[in-house]
Amino acid sequence: MALAVGVVGPEDLVQRVTAVGAPSGTTLLPLPYRHETEAVELVEQSHSDVDAFLFTGVVPYTIATEAGVIDRPAMYVSYDGATLLRALVELLRLGHNVTQFSIDTLRRSEVLETLIEAKLPTDRIEVLPYRPGLTSDDIVSFHRAARDKHDTKVAISCLGSAFHLIENEMPSVRLAPSRYSIRSTLQALILTTTGQHVGDAQVALGVIDLPEPDDALAADLITLGGSLAALPDGRHLVVTTRGLLEQATEQFSRMPLLDHLAARHSTAYVGFGVGRTAAEAEALARRAVGRAASIGSVAGVVSMSDDVEIVIEPTGDQPTTVRGTESLPLLARRVGLNTQTLARMRELTAALPDGLTTQDVADHLAVQLRTARRVLKRLERAGLAAPTGTQQHGRTGRPPTVYLIRL
């Protein structure tokens, strides 16, 4: 299976990653930026070109994740202890004191563990771990304050934009991930992406229960690209794959098949099971069709092996999930947002059940207004958000739209 991996980061680190190379069957697509804030736009623009994203560090990865633009496997290359040790050796070679320095982005425990293993003192070391929202100006201020407070001799930075601001003020080193970290992260990302694609090929079995024979049923199932067979009890068995089922149901959001059946039959029950084996998928399908029969005269249910059931009704009604929070990963994949963003939106909806605005979303997610609009637009396209009016309160100018969110 050929995979395309987009490599996101500053140009020099992107070149470093692509120089390591990728296993056979994988293509690395360079996506360099001049400043880490461009990571969001790069990811958005390359969705149609790549199967996964590899970020050269935690900073662009976190920025893209917080913006909610990652909808496929993504990882970042970590800066392991060997990376820091290599930088310290280079500093020693240049005659610098490696017992007094300030370092950003890495966790304090990682830095201290590396120094202790190297039998170096840690009492004159200043560490600024990375957190969402931390800017290059914040990192520069940290290094300057560490220099003034403890007379630290060297600044070690993992962020290129910060490094370029301080390299002329004090001895500075910019960390770059080791070849080992790059290679191991890339291998893990490829395995994860391949596993997801294999998941799309999972067997999906459907059981259709109709009150009378239906000669048009086979034509209705063409979009599933599967086969149709009669069961001994008079019901129908559909054999397809998870990927085709997701495509035909628009990521389990609607089932056109139900509308066709409702037009021809007084009752129609459709149950699909997605499992690791054919036997498991069949058991889930039979359970799903029984669940559909308890809902209404025409209904469909998709049952997953992770104990998630999605109820789908005809005429375009949106699905509801039987198991609350367990549906978040599925909803995230359908909407095109990451699970963390969707969980935060669920928190906001609980706090503002009567409706919320773009500004509410921006404040709660700590993102820009344009990113908040994008989140709401994706929820609206998925049928999970709907504009219900505008917020007046004596405002001047165009009043903000109020959205009702259903998660």
Side-chain angles (χ1 to χ4, degrees):
M1 179 187 301
L3 294 178
V5 176
V7 182
V8 183
E11 186 171 3
D12 57 339
L13 294 188
V14 168
Q15 291 176 354
R16 185 180 182 89
V17 171
T18 55
V20 171
S24 176
T26 301
T27 302
L28 298 180
L29 176 65
L31 298 172
Y33 57 63
R34 289 169 295 180
H35 193 274
E36 56 272 6
T37 54
E38 299 172 10
V40 173
E41 185 176 357
L42 280 174
V43 170
E44 289 181 316
Q45 292 176 346
S46 56
H47 272 159
S48 61
D49 301 320
V50 303
D51 301 293
F53 290 103
L54 178 63
F55 294 84
T56 62
V58 65
V59 176
Y61 171 83
T62 303
I63 291 174
T65 299
E66 289 291 309
V69 296
I70 300 178
D71 63 351
R72 60 206 60 201
M75 294 182 182
Y76 66 88
V77 182
S78 63
Y79 290 51
D80 56 12
T83 300
L84 177 56
L85 283 176
R86 188 176 67 246
L88 295 178
V89 170
E90 178 64 16
L91 288 171
L92 280 173
R93 189 183 67 81
L94 296 174
H96 294 293
N97 181 359
V98 297
T99 65
Q100 298 176 237
F101 64 83
S102 55
I103 182 169
D104 61 61
T105 302
L106 300 185
R107 292 194 296 269
R108 181 174 179 81
S109 59
E110 294 175 327
V111 175
L112 297 186
E113 182 179 355
T114 300
L115 295 178
I116 291 172
E117 288 182 355
K119 300 188 182 333
L120 292 172
T122 61
D123 57 319
R124 301 294 295 275
I125 307 301
E126 292 290 320
V127 183
L128 177 66
Y130 182 75
R131 64 179 185 275
L134 198 66
T135 66
S136 55
D137 289 337
D138 296 328
I139 291 175
V140 169
S141 297
F142 157 73
H143 286 294
R144 288 171 178 164
R147 176 195 58 192
D148 297 339
K149 179 180 178 181
H150 294 300
D151 192 27
T152 53
K153 305 299 183 184
V154 179
I156 302 176
S157 182
C158 298
L159 191 62
S161 58
F163 169 76
H164 293 309
L165 290 173
I166 60 174
E167 62 178 333
N168 295 324
E169 297 183 21
M170 63 186 84
S172 306
V173 172
R174 181 182 172 198
L175 287 186
S178 66
R179 292 176 63 87
Y180 170 79
S181 293
I182 294 171
R183 188 176 294 109
S184 60
T185 306
L186 181 57
Q187 289 173 344
L189 179 59
I190 292 173
L191 286 174
T192 300
T193 307
T194 302
Q196 185 174 94
H197 285 197
V198 170
D200 289 341
Q202 274 184 306
V203 63
L205 296 183
V207 175
I208 301 176
D209 189 355
L210 301 174
E212 61 267 334
D214 189 336
D215 295 334
L217 182 58
D220 291 338
L221 296 171
I222 288 177
T223 56
L224 287 173
S227 59
L228 179 66
L231 292 171
D233 58 5
R235 296 188 292 186
H236 306 273
L237 177 68
V238 182
V239 182
T240 184
T241 66
R242 174 174 180 157
L244 289 172
L245 180 61
E246 286 189 4
Q247 182 177 347
T249 59
E250 297 181 15
Q251 306 294 318
F252 307 123
S253 64
R254 57 188 298 268
M255 192 179 291
L257 170 64
L258 289 176
D259 297 316
H260 299 159
L261 295 178
R264 301 195 297 265
H265 302 281
S266 58
T267 62
Y269 309 118
V270 179
F272 277 97
V274 180
R276 290 174 285 266
T277 65
E280 182 183 35
E282 182 178 358
L284 290 170
R286 292 184 181 277
R287 185 182 78 181
V289 76
R291 176 75 171 88
S294 68
I295 295 172
S297 58
V298 179
V301 172
V302 179
S303 291
M304 308 278 184
S305 58
D306 51 3
D307 205 23
V308 171
E309 287 186 344
I310 302 174
V311 177
I312 307 176
E313 295 179 310
T315 65
D317 287 347
Q318 292 301 319
T320 58
T321 53
V322 177
R323 299 287 298 269
T325 57
E326 292 173 339
S327 66
L328 272 183
L330 182 63
L331 280 176
R333 186 174 179 183
R334 173 162 68 86
V335 174
L337 299 172
N338 63 64
T339 306
Q340 181 183 10
T341 299
L342 211 56
R344 296 290 304 280
M345 286 299 299
R346 177 172 278 174
E347 294 172 359
L348 181 60
T349 302
L352 300 172
D354 297 328
L356 49 84
T357 66
T358 303
Q359 188 64 58
D360 294 327
V361 175
D363 293 342
H364 190 69
L365 299 182
V367 297
Q368 296 180 352
L369 281 173
R370 63 182 182 89
T371 301
R373 292 190 192 98
R374 189 182 308 114
V375 170
L376 285 171
K377 183 58 65 176
R378 292 190 177 186
L379 291 173
E380 185 178 359
R381 283 201 302 265
L384 302 175
T388 60
T390 57
Q391 191 178 75
Q392 301 296 332
H393 301 307
R395 292 175 177 266
T396 58
R398 184 178 179 179
T401 301
V402 177
Y403 290 85
L404 185 64
I405 310 294
R406 296 179 298 172
L407 290 176

